[in-house]
């Protein structure tokens, strides 16, 4: 308590001294500084002195202030589970939430995008015309820059759509690459044919064949 009182007293004295210097002494280096700005600097320095003088009380003060903020945000139907999230959620203007299975299915689909400087507004039912070389680059980028996997659905599963394992965004791009959307006829088909040819030439799993799956 004594350390806290001394710290508060020193902070008050520092604040008054700085205001006095600005108002009555008026040195040249403070001529361009407004009284409000100088008072704000004095207040910040005073708070710094209190914080330095009472370090053990700072965590408690921060926790109390965050808990108070959490209580106020709860009145706005904004429940914060972690106190550290008060600053982030306090700055949010719109909060959109959903429980998976009600409005969403935890599956993503590419609906529109820009491919090789060509804008497509319908990636589900449309088809994008581009050169075979551009389509091959896009397909190769989707395949190599992805950690997701698409697995066939079990036969006894009611939902026979492919199962997605991993990042949903990457899986959506992988599913797009399996459709006829990319390519003007044939780039996606050509990529599949080339893949089958490379796999056949590799003799994977056979004696004298490649040990790496192409």
């Amino acid at each position: 308590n004594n350390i806290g009182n001394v710290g508060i007293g020193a902070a008050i004295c520092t604040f008054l001294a700085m205001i006095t210097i600005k108002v009555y002494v008026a040195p040249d280096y403070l001529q361009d500084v407004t009284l409000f700005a100088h008072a704000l600097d004095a207040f910040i320095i005073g708070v710094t002195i209190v914080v330095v003088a009472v370090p053990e009380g700072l965590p408690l003060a921060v926790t109390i202030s965050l808990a108070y903020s959490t209580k106020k945000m709860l009145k706005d139907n904004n429940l914060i589970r972690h106190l550290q999230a008060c600053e982030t959620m306090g700055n949010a203007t719109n909060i959109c939430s959903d429980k998976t299975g009600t409005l969403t299915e935890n599956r993503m689909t590419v609906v529109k995008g820009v491919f090789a400087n060509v804008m497509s507004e319908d990636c589900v039912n449309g088809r994008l015309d581009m050169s075979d070389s551009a389509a091959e680059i896009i397909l190769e980028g989707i395949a190599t820059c992805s950690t997701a996997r698409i697995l066939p659905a079990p036969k006894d599963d009611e939902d026979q759509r492919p199962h997605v394992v991993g990042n949903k965004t990457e899986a959506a791009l992988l599913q797009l690459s399996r459709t006829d959307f990319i390519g003007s006829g044939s780039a996606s088909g050509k990529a599949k044919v080339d893949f089958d040819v490379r796999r056949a030439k590799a003799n994977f799993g056979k004696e004298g064949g490649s040990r790496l799956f192409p």
Side-chain angles (χ1 to χ4, degrees):
N1 292 333
N2 293 332
I3 296 177
N5 294 333
V6 171
I8 294 175
I12 295 175
C13 292
T14 302
F15 179 80
L16 295 176
M18 293 184 66
I19 295 299
T20 301
I21 292 174
K22 169 63 179 175
V23 175
Y24 295 101
V25 179
D28 295 338
Y29 68 89
L30 292 179
Q31 294 298 327
D32 297 334
V33 181
T34 63
L35 180 61
F36 175 78
H38 189 69
L40 183 60
D41 292 339
F43 176 77
I44 294 175
I45 294 175
V47 171
T48 303
I49 294 175
V50 174
V51 170
V52 172
V54 197
E56 66 275 8
L58 181 60
L60 178 61
V62 171
T63 303
I64 292 175
S65 63
L66 290 177
Y68 178 73
S69 301
T70 301
K71 187 176 180 180
K72 290 189 65 177
M73 295 173 68
L74 182 59
K75 296 180 180 179
D76 296 332
N77 296 325
N78 189 357
L79 176 61
I80 304 298
R81 294 179 56 192
H82 304 284
L83 295 179
Q84 295 84 351
C86 282
E87 296 184 16
T88 303
M89 296 302 298
N91 292 327
T93 55
N94 296 293
I95 303 175
C96 302
S97 61
D98 168 51
K99 180 181 179 298
T100 301
T102 54
L103 299 179
T104 61
E105 299 179 338
N106 199 24
R107 302 174 67 96
M108 298 186 69
T109 304
V110 179
V111 295
K112 64 180 179 179
V114 179
F115 305 88
N117 293 329
V118 178
M119 179 65 186
S120 175
E121 295 290 345
D122 186 6
C123 297
V124 179
N125 301 315
R127 190 185 185 102
L128 186 64
D129 291 332
M130 64 173 63
S131 64
D132 290 348
S133 58
E136 185 174 356
I137 293 174
I138 293 176
L139 292 172
E140 182 178 353
I142 292 175
T144 56
C145 300
S146 175
T147 58
R149 291 187 300 163
I150 300 178
L151 305 177
K155 296 181 179 179
D156 56 347
D157 196 342
E158 295 181 359
D159 187 1
Q160 287 299 309
R161 292 179 298 178
H163 288 191
V164 172
V165 178
N167 187 280
K168 307 304 179 184
T169 304
E170 296 176 353
L173 292 173
L174 288 176
Q175 289 179 316
L176 179 68
S177 66
R178 299 174 63 183
T179 65
D180 295 332
F181 170 75
I182 299 179
S184 60
S186 22
S188 56
K190 179 177 178 295
K192 183 178 185 305
V193 171
D194 290 344
F195 175 78
D196 293 337
V197 171
R198 289 198 304 269
R199 183 169 58 179
K201 290 182 178 180
N203 291 326
F204 178 73
K206 300 179 181 179
E207 184 179 355
S210 173
R211 295 185 179 181
L212 297 178
F213 191 78

